[in-house]
Amino acid sequence: MTPAGRGRPGPRRALTEDEILDAALALLDEAGPAGASIRGIAAKVGVAPNAVYTYFPDKAAVVRALVEKLLGDADHGVFADRDRPWRERIEALAIDLRERLVAHPGAAALLMSGPMDGPRATAIGEQLQELLIGAGLAPTAAARSTYLLIVYVLGSIALEVADESEPGPLPSEAARIDSRRRVFEQIPAEVFPRSAAAARTMATYVSTDQYLWGLRRILDGIS
């Protein structure tokens, strides 16, 4: 007989990798990198921590898989369109990655925390090299240019989200620029004259315009 006061155990909770990654992403969005512990992820999906360990050996593995998921979910339609000019294709990919990753600042902050050697990250690098070779670069120059582009795009995004100290979604771009402007306008001109004079420009370092300005300068150099 079933002991008094105790019911029969219910069916075992089914779990998928996507559920774990969605929970990790939600926790990163809510509390930043410190919030997405294995225990926290398990609680979020309603299982014991051991169930998460069945899929991922540690938090670092969750982060790697999450970055892979975000890269793979990006819309590469224009980037893959061979009828578009090569620069337009690279810009489209860079803009899409920035929009997707800045929307999840907790995850974006982890981009530079480990090697990006998963299959989806490697596929992006492969496509970039193929595109650049097709544009006339020698294979070695294409490989070096691919690395330069990836460092610029991911580094820019990581610095952009790091500019906000509070966890959670980033304020609007206009609000962030305005907040930075108020800070930079306090720079003492008698000590840092050039920085004080450039305060309004420096405030826009987190803008789409700045991001594209830098990307286009790099593409100018590559071409």
Side-chain angles (χ1 to χ4, degrees):
M1 290 181 60
T2 303
R6 293 178 59 188
R8 294 179 181 276
R12 186 175 180 178
R13 168 80 164 86
L15 190 64
T16 67
E17 285 192 9
D18 279 343
E19 284 182 295
I20 295 171
L21 295 178
D22 288 343
L25 184 59
L27 289 169
L28 286 167
D29 286 344
E30 293 165 7
S37 65
I38 294 293
R39 186 173 296 278
I41 293 168
K44 191 80 169 175
V45 294
V47 299
N50 283 348
V52 177
Y53 286 122
T54 301
Y55 294 87
F56 301 100
D58 51 33
K59 179 179 174 179
V62 175
V63 170
R64 285 195 297 272
L66 186 56
V67 171
E68 276 280 286
K69 176 178 170 62
L70 289 170
L71 292 175
D73 286 346
D75 180 6
H76 304 321
V78 174
F79 179 53
D81 186 349
R82 295 177 181 273
D83 293 329
R84 302 287 187 98
W86 69 274
R87 289 181 61 134
E88 183 179 325
R89 292 167 64 187
I90 291 175
E91 281 193 23
L93 175 67
I95 291 170
D96 188 71
L97 284 173
R98 178 173 177 263
E99 289 177 350
R100 181 169 296 278
L101 293 170
V102 168
H104 299 289
L110 299 173
L111 283 172
M112 313 299 275
S113 64
M116 298 202 47
D117 52 5
R120 290 173 175 172
T122 303
I124 290 177
E126 178 77 10
Q127 288 176 282
L128 278 169
Q129 290 191 60
E130 181 182 352
L131 189 160
L132 292 168
I133 290 171
L137 271 69
T140 298
R144 288 178 169 176
S145 298
T146 293
Y147 179 71
L148 174 62
L149 286 165
I150 290 172
V151 168
Y152 174 76
V153 168
L154 298 184
S156 295
I157 294 168
L159 286 173
E160 183 172 349
V161 301
D163 196 63
E164 294 292 324
S165 58
E166 295 297 322
L170 294 184
S172 69
E173 183 174 295
R176 287 185 287 134
I177 291 172
D178 187 58
S179 176
R180 287 168 57 88
R181 178 186 54 77
R182 291 196 299 271
V183 171
F184 288 134
E185 285 180 343
Q186 303 304 311
I187 293 175
E190 66 278 10
V191 181
F192 305 108
R194 296 193 182 280
S195 296
R200 288 184 175 271
T201 300
M202 292 162 59
T204 66
Y205 285 175
V206 295
S207 68
T208 304
D209 284 345
Q210 170 68 31
Y211 180 70
L212 287 175
W213 186 92
L215 177 64
R216 288 166 181 165
R217 298 296 80 72
I218 290 173
L219 294 177
D220 287 344
I222 289 173
S223 62

